Structure formats: structure tokens, C-alpha cells
């Protein structure tokens, strides 16, 4: 069972960036994106149900970030628009085998993280 996140990089404030998360080995109930800034805890960004068109977003990304999926490829995406320096963090995708949660401790499988740096 593996989640492989990719797509991070260095961008300027106001730019867009897309992250990908490729899942292999099994399906999940939901896939979540989380982020962790240096010295901070891991916080929920967005989640999507594996088999349904249900999404959930943290308030601070609503209207800027979009989570989506390509079911045929078992790949999940996080499109981030109008990025700001406070979005700088390592972004992780994670799989929840049974639920639909914003709590990171509910997710059993984690990708390796991809760093997003937004300069002002």
C-alpha cells in the first residue's frame, strides 16, 4: 500500500501549483491532503471520498484550492490557486481506510510529503 505525492516547488505569491497523489495497493474510503509548516502541527487541507463526489475543505483554502481525482488512474489532485506565503508547508496526502475525517490521526497511510514554498 503506497501513496506517492508529487508536484511541490517554489512559486511566487499569487501563483498556482498542482499536487498529485498516486495510490497503489488498495483503495481507501477517502483521501486527504494535509500540510505541515515548520514548527507547526499537521493540519487538514481537503479531503475527497474515494467512490463518491464528496469533498471537504478547510476554511482557509475554500475558493482557492480544489481537490479532485482521476478514478481510472487512482490519482488524486490538489489544485492550489492564488497561493500566499502562509501556504508554505510540506503537503501530505493520506488514506483513510474506513472513514471521512479532517483529523490526521484517522488516516492510516501517508505519502512522503512534497514541499511547497511560496515567496512574497
Amino acid at each position: 500500500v503506497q501513496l506517492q505525492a508529487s508536484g511541490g516547488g517554489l512559486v511566487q505569491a499569487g501563483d498556482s501549483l498542482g499536487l498529485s497523489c498516486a495510490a497503489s495497493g488498495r483503495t481507501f474510503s477517502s483521501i486527504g491532503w494535509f500540510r505541515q509548516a515548520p514548527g507547526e502541527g499537521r493540519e487538514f487541507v481537503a479531503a475527497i471520498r474515494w467512490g463518491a463526489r464528496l469533498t471537504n475543505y478547510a476554511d482557509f483554502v475554500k475558493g482557492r484550492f480544489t481537490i479532485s481525482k482521476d478514478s481510472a488512474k487512482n490519482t488524486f489532485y490538489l489544485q492550489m490557486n492564488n497561493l500566499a506565503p502562509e501556504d508554505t508547508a510540506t503537503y501530505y496526502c493520506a488514506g483513510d481506510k474506513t472513514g471521512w475525517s479532517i483529523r490526521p490521526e484517522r488516516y492510516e497511510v501517508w505519502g512522503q510529503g512534497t514541499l511547497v514554498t511560496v515567496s512574497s
Side-chain angles (χ1 to χ4, degrees), residues 1-3 24-32 49-50 94-101 104-110:
V1 179
Q2 187 175 13
L3 295 174
S24 61
R26 65 159 291 150
T27 60
F28 296 90
S29 176
S30 61
I31 293 291
R49 289 299 291 253
W50 186 281
D96 185 338
K97 296 179 183 179
T98 60
W100 168 244
S101 177
E105 62 267 27
R106 292 294 306 271
Y107 288 76
E108 298 96 339
V109 180
W110 289 81

Side-chain angles (χ1 to χ4, degrees), residues 28-82:
F28 296 90
S29 176
S30 61
I31 293 291
W33 284 98
F34 294 81
R35 69 186 188 184
Q36 187 167 17
E40 303 291 331
R42 197 163 292 187
E43 65 178 349
F44 172 77
V45 175
I48 188 167
R49 289 299 291 253
W50 186 281
R53 293 183 179 181
L54 291 175
T55 58
N56 190 22
Y57 295 93
D59 287 342
F60 58 81
V61 302
K62 285 181 179 177
R64 298 192 300 130
F65 292 9
T66 302
I67 189 171
S68 62
K69 62 184 177 181
D70 183 333
S71 297
K73 297 181 179 179
N74 283 350
T75 300
F76 298 80
Y77 305 96
L78 184 69
Q79 178 63 37
M80 305 182 292
N81 298 328
N82 194 22

Side-chain angles (χ1 to χ4, degrees), residues 35-43 86-92:
R35 69 186 188 184
Q36 187 167 17
E40 303 291 331
R42 197 163 292 187
E43 65 178 349
E86 52 265 35
D87 295 316
T88 295
T90 297
Y91 284 71
Y92 299 88

